[in-house]
Amino acid sequence: MARQHGPRRARIAFSDAAAKQVEAITSESELHALDRALVVISVDPEVGELLPGDPANPRLREYTDTVERVRLLYWTSALGTVIVVAYIEV
């Protein structure tokens, strides 16, 4: 019997500013919380709330996990295969 695979995940990339924010995180619990939030948006890139903006630019989304207390601002590629995280708040 063929093995079933889970849903395909989008690839996560970080803006320069977000990468610096990740480098500054020193708490293991904050890294774990961020990791969980990144998994959520990689599985479902449309989970975040669409923010108002200019249609000519990438549409930002905001994902907030109130339990883990993580907030991410991100946009997705045209095909939804790459998610670029612009801002991280843990």
Side-chain angles (χ1 to χ4, degrees):
M1 182 176 284
R3 186 172 173 182
Q4 294 291 332
H5 293 283
R8 184 172 177 92
R9 293 184 182 182
R11 189 171 61 91
I12 301 285
F14 296 99
S15 68
D16 290 342
K20 288 179 185 176
Q21 290 173 304
V22 171
E23 289 174 9
I25 297 173
T26 58
S27 164
E28 192 71 31
S29 63
E30 288 180 349
L31 283 173
H32 178 71
L34 174 60
D35 215 26
R36 288 174 50 98
L38 292 172
V39 167
V40 169
I41 65 171
S42 73
V43 171
D44 183 6
E46 295 183 9
V47 70
E49 178 183 330
L50 193 57
L51 299 176
D54 180 7
N57 294 316
R59 296 294 305 268
L60 280 176
R61 290 184 173 273
E62 177 180 24
Y63 172 74
T64 304
D65 182 333
T66 56
V67 174
E68 295 283 354
R69 295 176 30 191
V70 176
R71 180 174 164 239
L72 302 173
L73 295 180
Y74 66 97
W75 70 87
T76 61
S77 65
L79 297 176
T81 58
V82 177
I83 298 170
V84 179
V85 177
Y87 175 78
I88 298 168
E89 186 175 286
V90 181

